[in-house]
Amino acid sequence: MPRIISPDTPETALTDHSEHNAKIFGSPKDRLDFYRREIQYETSILANRTDAYLTAQSFLVIAFVSGMGNLNPEWGKLFTLIVPLFLALLGILSSLNAWPGIRAAYDIIDHWHFKQSQLLHSEPVMGLAYDESPLFSERESSHKGYRKSLLFSVRTPWIFMVFWILLGAYAFYIQVDNPGS
């Protein structure tokens, strides 16, 4: 039965399955390799999602600016009132839509880092194979370190959502505030 191990998991629940884990993973090194591969895989998924999201947002910004620059005397005023607002709404919706996938990848990476950290704390001898210093220092395997590196991906949808709200409000304001031009 699959389980998720969290900081609140009792220590007895972790030690009850050590024999089972030994059968799945040949050694602590195998477990560490598995955790690192999972972290790398999920990090690449997060990077791909962030790249796709940023690409979509950049095309929306280009379309928005092009729509605001419409100077057609017959229908340009109505066009610059409606189209940029729809593009801003699309930007907001795509930000809301991208957030769950980006957050899920972040949570999975967090889970695998936690498991790796627990393994490194429970098997301190792993790093002593070649020298007297640990393979991973506390700084390298701490939550704070990798979380800072993932903040860009996690914050980007919210930053763009605020950007689209402000840009949409501004586009509406300049069209309604100056109706004669």
Side-chain angles (χ1 to χ4, degrees):
M1 173 161 137
R3 303 179 308 136
I4 294 180
I5 298 174
S6 69
D8 301 327
T9 304
E11 192 66 33
T12 56
L14 296 174
T15 57
D16 291 343
H17 297 290
S18 59
E19 183 179 321
H20 176 70
N21 287 339
K23 291 177 186 175
I24 294 174
F25 301 104
S27 69
K29 167 94 171 71
D30 293 339
R31 290 176 75 187
L32 181 62
D33 289 343
F34 175 77
Y35 295 159
R36 307 231 79 210
R37 280 191 307 272
E38 289 299 313
I39 290 168
Q40 183 178 8
Y41 174 74
E42 291 298 332
T43 302
S44 68
I45 287 175
L46 179 61
N48 290 339
R49 287 177 183 167
T50 303
D51 287 346
Y53 173 73
L54 288 174
T55 301
Q57 291 299 306
S58 61
F59 281 114
L60 278 175
V61 169
I62 292 168
F64 181 89
V65 171
S66 297
M68 288 299 293
N70 187 345
L71 299 176
N72 186 316
E74 292 178 28
W75 49 272
K77 186 72 173 168
L78 185 61
F79 184 86
T80 56
L81 176 65
I82 295 175
V83 172
L85 290 177
F86 278 121
L87 291 172
L89 181 62
L90 183 60
I92 293 167
L93 292 175
S94 70
S95 294
L96 290 172
N97 204 17
W99 169 247
I102 289 172
R103 182 63 198 201
Y106 174 83
D107 288 340
I108 292 169
I109 292 168
D110 188 47
H111 170 74
W112 288 117
H113 268 282
F114 172 75
K115 294 201 48 108
Q116 174 183 282
S117 175
Q118 293 299 313
L119 175 65
L120 292 172
H121 281 85
S122 69
E123 301 284 342
V125 80
M126 284 180 59
L128 299 176
Y130 296 106
D131 57 19
E132 294 300 316
S133 61
L135 181 60
F136 296 96
S137 69
E138 185 63 32
R139 194 168 150 229
E140 292 169 331
S141 61
S142 72
H143 275 17
K144 195 165 133 182
Y146 76 87
R147 284 184 175 173
K148 281 185 179 180
S149 68
L150 300 176
L151 281 179
F152 176 77
S153 293
V154 174
R155 289 180 179 167
T156 300
W158 296 106
I159 291 170
F160 265 102
M161 190 165 58
V162 169
F163 168 77
W164 284 116
I165 290 170
L166 294 174
L167 208 56
Y170 179 71
F172 181 76
Y173 172 76
I174 63 173
Q175 295 300 324
V176 173
D177 186 49
N178 193 5
S181 54

